[in-house]
Amino acid sequence: QVRLVESGGGSVQSGGSLRLSCVASGYTHSRYCMGWFRQAPGNEREGVAAIDDEGDTDYADFTQGRFVISQDNAWNTLYLHMNNLKPEDTAMYYCAAVYSEFGCAELLDDYSAMDYWGKGTLVTISS
């Protein structure tokens, strides 16, 4: 059974930084796309950043170079480093994964394509 557990959310002021972590267990395939999605109250879930088993990354335009996704395969951990945070970044952030032989192409635009989800970690940015 695949399990994804996020951590690292919290409350920071505008301009601050956070690092989100997602520990994965139970996933036995070598091919994958893993990503971070977020959902603010009243909004649809949207893709933030994704990375595949070859280390190729994709980012949503709104990250504007402020966010960096990375992975530590030795610890089965996915990270999202977020800098220069803005109030509009306030949301629940979710880690997600799917088996993919084609990387993460277009998966950021289709959260329904992801098969496995964590329960989320809340990020709150105050102005």
Side-chain angles (χ1 to χ4, degrees), residues 35-88:
W36 290 96
F37 293 76
R38 71 183 188 182
Q39 187 166 18
N43 290 357
E44 190 170 335
R45 192 167 297 191
E46 61 181 354
V48 178
I51 189 168
D52 65 21
D53 51 271
E54 295 185 347
D56 293 329
T57 58
D58 291 279
Y59 292 92
D61 290 342
F62 64 77
T63 61
Q64 298 174 326
R66 301 179 296 127
F67 295 1
V68 177
I69 189 170
S70 63
Q71 59 189 348
D72 184 337
N73 292 333
W75 294 98
N76 293 332
T77 303
L78 181 72
Y79 299 102
L80 183 67
H81 306 257
M82 304 187 294
N83 301 307
N84 191 20
L85 285 160
K86 305 175 182 180
E88 51 263 44

Side-chain angles (χ1 to χ4, degrees), residues 13-33:
Q13 290 188 327
S14 181
S17 299
L18 284 173
R19 186 185 76 165
L20 306 184
S21 301
C22 170
V23 178
S25 60
Y27 188 86
T28 58
H29 299 290
S30 60
R31 308 302 306 273
Y32 60 83
C33 171

